[in-house]
Amino acid sequence: MTPKILVVGAGAVGGYFGARLAAAGHDVTFLVRPRRQAQLSATGLCLVSPLGDATLPPHMITADQIIHPYDIVILSVKAYSLAAAMVDMAPAIGPQTRIIPLLNGMRHLDVLASRFGREAVMGGTCFIVSSLDGEGRIHQAGVTPRLVFGPLVAGQDANAMTDALSAPGFETVPSPHILQDMWNKWTLLASLGTLCCLMRASVGEVARLPGGTDFVHATIKECTTTAAAVGYPLAPDTINAITKRLTQPDSTLTSSMFRDLSQGAPVEAQQIIGDLVARARAHGIATPILDLTDLNLRAYELRRDTR
């Protein structure tokens, strides 16, 4: 039997992976809000990608239209939308459902497990550079995207799900060490987010300034020290890869959190920076740069909430 896949969210991440899976013939349904449903009904789900453009009529439902559990739920909303997403997707979660969250940070794992049970929640992360344009089209750039997922408790067989989650246009990676994979990405995101949000600049702009690379090295050190203290030390080659990526003087790379901040939009500050600071505190790790970034972003959120 072909597994039934529900993709929660049809934005830049879920829309991309879900569209590739649907185009490959998988049984994919998108759980969307009415506004996105109306947009996609009019235009189709459009991908603009160096790996091949595509436009398809997606199978969509809204929360009130869920009538049965799904086998796999790919959760791809922003971290600050998790509570609302859990309410919407609850009728889709049955005894055999496996949830693969692609949210940033780590705190969502406990939140999801508390609501749906630990046996339902797997670890997951993805690597993709994508964005939505004003017409709702998904633009993907850079290297081939990757979808990584793995077990968190006994009985979750990631390898058995590989075929159901494979399609041209991205790499599918079942991982036996998914928590380490997630910590590796969190370290990258927290370092990049700190660099861009605190400096209000791109990677290259900071790298070209006197003292810029020293700042980046110090930021990465705070993140990796925290990860090691919690029990997930990054391998030296992983740290070197992050450092190289964030010290390129010709790089135009910015974090999605910085792009959201620049537009006055909500940001994943507490999930990416605040939670990392809290874990550092619990282990007695000093993180002065992350502390300053956390304060900066909380001030931004306060001003945004009071407008």
Side-chain angles (χ1 to χ4, degrees):
M1 181 180 295
T2 302
K4 294 184 179 299
I5 302 171
L6 182 69
V7 180
V8 182
V13 175
Y16 181 87
F17 289 110
R20 293 301 192 193
L21 288 168
H26 295 284
D27 185 349
V28 177
T29 300
F30 293 91
L31 177 60
V32 294
R33 294 295 175 89
R35 181 178 177 182
R36 183 63 167 157
Q37 184 182 43
Q39 183 180 51
L40 295 179
S41 295
T43 65
L45 182 54
C46 302
L47 304 185
V48 181
S49 166
L51 301 173
D53 296 347
T55 299
L56 65 151
H59 181 215
M60 299 177 289
I61 57 173
T62 53
D64 61 316
Q65 296 173 322
I66 300 174
I67 59 174
H68 58 73
Y70 286 77
D71 300 301
I72 301 171
V73 173
I74 300 175
L75 179 57
S76 62
V77 298
K78 290 284 191 178
Y80 48 74
S81 298
L82 176 59
M86 288 195 302
V87 173
D88 288 347
M89 71 191 224
I93 310 302
Q96 304 304 316
T97 302
R98 294 293 179 262
I99 303 169
I100 300 177
L102 303 180
L103 285 71
N104 294 323
M106 300 291 286
R107 65 161 56 170
H108 61 276
L109 294 180
D110 289 335
V111 175
L112 286 165
S114 177
R115 175 64 179 82
F116 299 113
R118 293 202 173 273
E119 66 282 355
V121 183
M122 300 184 71
T125 189
C126 64
F127 299 86
I128 183 171
V129 179
S130 60
S131 61
L132 286 181
D133 66 17
E135 298 178 6
R137 296 176 299 183
I138 299 169
H139 291 257
Q140 180 266 322
V143 300
T144 301
R146 280 187 293 148
L147 177 66
V148 186
F149 58 96
L152 296 179
V153 298
Q156 296 175 338
D157 188 351
N159 291 317
M161 301 167 64
T162 301
D163 287 345
L165 296 173
S166 294
F170 65 89
E171 297 177 13
T172 303
V173 184
S175 172
H177 40 69
I178 187 62
L179 287 176
Q180 184 66 63
D181 296 328
M182 293 174 69
W183 270 96
N184 291 352
K185 183 178 179 182
W186 192 8
T187 297
L188 170 62
L189 291 181
S191 300
L192 177 61
T194 293
L195 184 163
C196 295
C197 292
L198 200 56
M199 296 294 109
R200 300 295 197 268
S202 70
V203 164
E205 288 168 333
V206 173
R208 293 194 298 269
L209 293 172
T213 57
D214 291 339
F215 165 73
V216 175
H217 281 277
T219 300
I220 294 172
K221 181 67 173 178
E222 290 187 6
C223 295
T224 56
T225 300
T226 301
V230 175
Y232 296 94
L234 276 66
D237 60 340
T238 301
I239 297 174
N240 290 338
I242 293 173
T243 302
K244 181 178 179 180
R245 187 174 184 183
L246 300 189
T247 54
Q248 293 289 334
D250 59 348
S251 175
T252 59
L253 178 65
T254 59
S255 70
S256 60
M257 186 161 60
F258 171 62
R259 295 192 294 273
D260 290 339
L261 183 150
S262 300
Q263 297 170 5
V267 294
E268 295 180 308
Q270 292 309 304
Q271 293 80 9
I272 295 177
I273 304 297
D275 189 32
L276 192 61
V277 167
R279 293 172 194 249
R281 287 292 161 277
H283 288 81
I285 306 298
T287 54
I289 296 174
L290 292 175
D291 291 352
L292 181 58
T293 307
D294 181 43
L295 179 62
N296 182 290
L297 292 173
R298 284 190 286 115
Y300 165 79
E301 290 178 320
L302 178 63
R303 293 194 67 186
R304 186 180 180 279
D305 291 342
T306 55
R307 287 175 185 169

